[in-house]
Amino acid sequence: MTSPELIKDQIESLRRELERHNHSYYVLNAPTISDREFDEMMATLSRLEAEHPEFDDPLSPTHRVGSDLTKGFEQVPHIYPMLSLANTYSIEEVDDYVRRCRDGLMGEEITFVGEMKFDGTSISLIYEGGRLVRAVTRGDGEKGDVVTENVKTIPGIPLRLHGTGWPDRFEIRGEIVMPWKSFDRLNAEREEQGEPLFANPRNAASGTLKMQNPAEVSRRGLDAYFYYLLGENLPADTHYDNMLEARKWGFKVSDVMTRLHTLDEVNDFINHWDHARSELPVATDGLVFKIDSLRQQLNLGFTSKTPRWAIAYKFQAERALTKLEFVSFEVGRSGIITPVANLDPVLLSGTIVKRASLHNEDIIRQLDIHEHDMVYVEKGGEIIPKITGVDTAARQADSQPVKFVSVCPACNTPLVRVEGEAAWVCPNKYGCPPQITGRVEHFVGRRMMDIDGIGEEICEVLFATGLVRDIADIYTLTREKLMTLERFGERSADRIMEGIARSLTVPFERVLYALSIPYVGETVAKKLARATGSLDRLMEMTEEQLTAIDDIGPAIARSIREYFDSPVNRDIIARLREAGVQMEVSATRAAETTNRLNGASIVISGTFVHHSRDQYKELIELNGGKSVGSISKKTDYVLAGANMGPAKLEKASKLGIPIIDEDQFLAMIGDSAE
Ligand code: IVH
């Protein structure tokens, strides 16, 4: 017999372990076990808790429903709770499920509907009288955050329904996704701006949906697919037919949706999509099988967490086992040390993987990774392959745990740990070669000083030969000096010299961004340039004065102060100034800035002749207006070009918002199209 004490211990240790995995998955975004192992562990815990209610604990992970509630959004209760789906991981498990359904329905024939399981973030939309009245996130399943304004920016979501036959009041659920195309573009932009990348489209979609700025949400290119109609008076008595109706009302319902009549058809569907999923425009992590008949659905009902009439089948994440050759430690321009696993090359989802990020010291410790371990590498929907586990059985007896370096691998300076973070940093900002070359590389980048012809390798050569020891040295380069370098011809030297000359006209806000002041990215640099007008003014400001500027918080203010207090940086600035780099907002640019729009909130819609949409956006901001994404009561004007959408037009007229064309707008800001 097992003693109660032992069972209590087992329950406690399962709880602790599940919490640890939850944290790795949701917070660190680096799962340490597979979903399947996690589900099994959770099932064991649920069973033990059910058998031993005396050990129940309200804080057990079995009572935790994933929650996406975020501060700053209004919360409302769901009309019907938003449940999740039970998972299966093999055709056999799906077959078992199909059989269990038959038993549950006394041997009745069952038609299933096979669908894609979209890997995004779930959304519930409420329609009344054919109009979208509310969009709510899943939240904790009982109540969610109201994100209507953001959802309205998604072009695929109907704000007013098309066709006829919709119930006066109903709910439709679906998944907000970020298509691969938008995801890749967003991450490319973030990379260029030195911002952290999104690990997968799911995180990108849920992060975007919770932004406080609908205009930015609109720009990021979200999409949505719908898969569940709820309410009284639905048009049909099968799920499939209801979804076809919803499609006629304007909802995006995936073409993948298929009626399946036999077990063979279910299995063929799985086998087909296991391969074909890689061609879909959006990320998926599995399939969903639902019973088609609403009567049968009602008959089977729900458990406390999931419907009994539907099940998810999760694709096996593509995973490979390979040998860890060694761990290298790389230094970025901000001095942060990133551990990288160098692997025996292995084929994974069609590409050869040689390196995988190990993120930080905590992850190395959690994985308990040893030198030369056989490690599991996964790429399921993630951009950077990652190590998800270790085959400890294959470990050599004498192998040592991988140790994080204590000194900088490039310059030997003892590392320091960033307060409150898992990152180690090399503090030798002005002497550590990769930090210097990283800053030079950033300085010459396209969105910064835009000096063509100097890539990573040339930065290193310039540093190694002593020609460039900091960003200001770029302006001491000459054609002759460049031509002393190996493999440098006249053409490449001329190209760089032209780029350097041209960089003297780059506006001050980009110069500010190019300096690599920690926390000063492109947007912050723009704000600072506008608020201060010149570097001299900025350099004099106290932390207090800095935090008085819109959107500049204490961390940014401290970082700016620290940067300008350093004699090394002051010297660099003096030399840049001498070289003729722009140190203030140019007179013409300053003149372009007015307050003619006096805070007016303007929606841009359609296509234009005189300027691009982005240019109009900039003109609105330069003239003291706000460019917003969707029309509401608070909108002051709609700037309409050709092909403005009929829905927007109707909404603007209904709310009585003045619609102006581009000539009228240009007249308002006192500009002429020429
Ligand atoms: S049906 C009552 N169908 O998966 C169950 N869900 O693990 C209603 N999901 O929260 C959900 N694709 O966010 C359903 N074709 C699909 C789905 C789908 C993705 C998500 C959804 C749900 C989660 C459950």
Side-chain angles (χ1 to χ4, degrees):
M1 280 298 285
T2 336
S3 80
E5 275 311 301
L6 278 178
I7 292 184
K8 188 166 177 224
D9 279 356
Q10 194 187 353
I11 288 180
E12 267 311 312
S13 97
L14 280 168
R15 284 177 184 159
R16 265 197 310 274
E17 196 163 345
L18 282 162
E19 282 299 346
R20 195 166 61 81
H21 293 310
N22 256 336
H23 181 256
S24 308
Y25 185 90
Y26 288 107
V27 182
L28 306 175
N29 215 323
T32 30
I33 55 170
S34 69
D35 289 359
R36 181 193 194 119
E37 287 165 309
F38 183 87
D39 288 351
E40 277 165 8
M41 214 181 267
M42 189 67 97
T44 313
L45 178 59
S46 291
R47 184 176 51 77
L48 287 174
E49 285 178 344
E51 286 166 8
H52 299 275
E54 67 275 24
F55 301 136
D56 190 28
D57 178 342
L59 293 185
S60 166
T62 51
H63 296 297
R64 185 203 272 283
V65 198
S67 164
D68 67 24
L69 294 173
T70 307
K71 243 176 43 199
F73 284 90
E74 183 200 347
Q75 287 174 8
V76 293
H78 291 298
I79 302 169
Y80 309 91
M82 280 181 92
L83 303 176
S84 56
L85 293 167
N87 287 328
T88 58
Y89 296 90
S90 66
I91 288 195
E92 292 72 41
E93 282 178 83
V94 176
D95 289 356
D96 275 353
Y97 170 73
V98 169
R99 287 198 194 94
R100 262 185 283 129
C101 288
R102 284 219 179 103
D103 293 347
L105 292 168
M106 308 299 173
E108 271 183 12
E109 279 302 308
I110 305 177
T111 298
F112 282 90
V113 179
E115 295 174 12
M116 214 67 226
K117 188 166 190 300
F118 300 98
D119 201 8
T121 183
S122 34
I123 194 76
S124 148
L125 305 182
I126 308 288
Y127 284 79
E128 282 173 13
R131 307 168 66 88
L132 172 68
V133 294
R134 205 163 59 230
V136 187
T137 68
R138 178 167 190 271
D140 61 7
E142 296 292 331
K143 56 184 185 310
D145 287 335
V146 177
V147 288
T148 320
E149 287 311 307
N150 285 349
V151 161
K152 280 187 187 157
T153 68
I154 302 173
I157 292 184
L159 305 183
R160 304 193 59 172
L161 300 180
H162 315 184
T164 52
W166 20 266
D168 190 49
R169 183 181 163 80
F170 70 91
E171 176 175 353
I172 190 162
R173 292 190 187 162
E175 200 84 350
I176 307 259
V177 295
M178 185 173 286
W180 287 114
K181 227 164 97 194
S182 310
F183 175 72
D184 291 341
R185 191 192 57 206
L186 176 62
N187 261 348
E189 275 172 25
R190 292 175 75 89
E191 182 156 31
E192 194 157 328
Q193 301 186 16
E195 291 172 38
L197 304 191
F198 282 110
N200 51 47
R202 173 177 16 98
N203 291 4
S206 57
T208 302
L209 195 62
K210 289 298 182 72
M211 291 177 62
Q212 304 284 358
N213 175 358
E216 176 61 16
V217 176
S218 156
R219 207 187 62 76
R220 288 195 179 177
L222 293 176
D223 201 355
Y225 288 86
F226 291 86
Y227 47 64
Y228 190 17
L229 195 60
L230 299 92
E232 286 154 29
N233 310 320
L234 297 185
D237 53 13
T238 62
H239 166 63
Y240 190 86
D241 289 336
N242 277 327
M243 293 321 295
L244 291 189
E245 285 303 308
R247 191 185 270 161
K248 290 189 206 147
W249 306 336
F251 294 101
K252 199 166 196 167
V253 174
S254 165
D255 290 331
V256 171
M257 183 177 77
T258 311
R259 268 191 170 128
L260 305 164
H261 304 280
T262 63
L263 207 52
D264 280 346
E265 285 181 10
V266 170
N267 294 351
D268 289 348
F269 189 81
I270 295 179
N271 287 326
H272 173 73
W273 285 110
D274 223 342
H275 298 290
R277 66 179 151 131
S278 62
E279 285 147 33
L280 291 171
V282 294
T284 65
D285 59 345
L287 302 170
V288 182
F289 296 99
K290 297 175 183 166
I291 291 186
D292 195 23
S293 150
L294 299 193
R295 178 187 56 79
Q296 289 179 335
Q297 286 191 3
L298 202 64
N299 242 323
L300 287 176
F302 296 85
T303 72
S304 67
K305 284 189 192 156
T306 62
R308 289 204 186 82
W309 45 262
I311 196 141
Y313 162 83
K314 298 276 272 225
F315 294 127
Q316 193 61 253
E318 289 189 63
R319 182 167 94 147
L321 188 64
T322 188
K323 186 170 170 199
L324 172 69
E325 298 286 2
F326 62 95
V327 175
S328 57
F329 294 87
E330 300 185 357
V331 192
R333 97 182 131 102
S334 58
I336 291 178
I337 312 288
T338 307
V340 175
N342 293 262
L343 307 165
D344 188 7
V346 62
L347 189 68
L348 187 63
S349 332
T351 49
I352 305 243
V353 176
K354 294 183 203 145
R355 288 155 51 88
S357 171
L358 281 166
H359 302 283
N360 58 44
E361 186 184 25
D362 290 354
I363 300 232
I364 293 184
R365 205 174 290 142
Q366 267 178 29
L367 286 167
D368 185 31
I369 195 165
H370 285 221
E371 284 165 4
H372 307 301
D373 264 349
M374 291 301 288
V375 292
Y376 290 104
V377 198
E378 273 184 32
K379 222 167 65 171
E382 320 287 315
I383 34 167
I384 305 161
K386 60 187 177 199
I387 310 284
T388 55
V390 172
D391 179 6
T392 42
R395 178 175 291 163
Q396 282 152 22
D398 57 349
S399 93
Q400 295 300 308
V402 167
K403 270 229 228 48
F404 206 89
V405 283
S406 57
V407 298
C408 174
C411 71
N412 269 325
T413 306
L415 301 179
V416 292
R417 185 133 180 174
V418 184
E419 214 183 284
E421 286 177 34
W424 285 95
V425 173
C426 165
N428 183 16
K429 284 195 202 118
Y430 308 110
C432 177
Q435 293 190 53
I436 299 170
T437 55
R439 285 195 295 267
V440 173
E441 215 184 311
H442 173 78
F443 186 79
V444 300
R446 199 167 56 78
R447 297 176 89 101
M448 291 61 94
M449 305 306 277
D450 195 18
I451 304 175
D452 235 5
I454 309 186
E456 182 179 351
E457 216 176 309
I458 297 183
C459 283
E460 279 162 20
V461 173
L462 289 171
F463 179 78
T465 51
L467 286 180
V468 172
R469 296 251 148 203
D470 58 42
I471 53 175
D473 281 346
I474 298 264
Y475 294 95
T476 65
L477 289 173
T478 61
R479 194 166 182 266
E480 292 65 40
K481 282 188 191 168
L482 284 170
M483 284 179 56
T484 61
L485 301 176
E486 225 176 287
R487 287 187 289 142
F488 248 77
E490 280 177 31
R491 287 232 341 246
S492 34
D494 284 344
R495 181 161 151 228
I496 292 179
M497 292 313 295
E498 275 161 28
I500 292 176
R502 226 179 317 117
S503 77
L504 297 180
T505 63
V506 162
F508 170 55
E509 58 187 44
R510 273 167 57 187
V511 174
L512 198 50
Y513 176 37
L515 295 177
S516 285
I517 305 173
Y519 298 115
V520 179
E522 197 171 14
T523 317
V524 172
K526 259 190 203 160
K527 293 223 161 97
L528 288 171
R530 255 178 229 161
T532 62
S534 75
L535 197 68
D536 285 335
R537 173 85 192 91
L538 177 62
M539 285 173 75
E540 282 169 3
M541 289 175 88
T542 62
E543 284 183 39
E544 254 172 12
Q545 289 169 324
L546 284 165
T547 45
I549 301 174
D550 244 5
D551 290 333
I552 307 297
I556 306 180
R558 192 171 326 123
S559 166
I560 296 172
R561 219 29 285 154
E562 264 172 29
Y563 182 91
F564 290 119
D565 284 342
S566 137
V568 179
N569 290 331
R570 295 182 89 91
D571 170 62
I572 291 176
I573 304 270
R575 283 151 54 223
L576 288 173
R577 188 191 303 272
E578 212 162 287
V581 168
Q582 300 291 320
M583 293 291 172
E584 55 188 40
V585 176
S586 78
T588 49
R589 189 122 184 124
E592 282 168 23
T593 319
T594 76
N595 194 28
R596 293 210 177 96
L597 296 174
N598 194 21
S601 143
I602 302 180
V603 172
I604 305 178
S605 177
T607 50
F608 300 93
V609 182
H610 302 308
H611 300 283
S612 70
R613 284 171 70 103
D614 276 351
Q615 283 167 336
Y616 275 118
K617 212 169 136 187
E618 193 169 351
L619 281 173
I620 291 175
E621 276 160 17
L622 281 171
N623 288 285
K626 274 192 303 248
S627 150
V628 294
S630 62
I631 301 177
S632 73
K633 282 192 300 244
K634 292 190 200 136
T635 310
D636 293 301
Y637 299 99
V638 176
L639 169 53
N643 309 322
M644 173 177 174
K648 271 200 175 145
L649 194 63
E650 192 176 330
K651 180 148 190 203
S653 353
K654 197 151 173 242
L655 293 172
I657 297 165
I659 299 176
I660 52 174
D661 64 19
E662 50 186 329
D663 291 323
Q664 285 169 306
F665 172 78
L666 292 170
M668 272 168 83
I669 60 167
D671 194 359
S672 76
E674 279 70 47

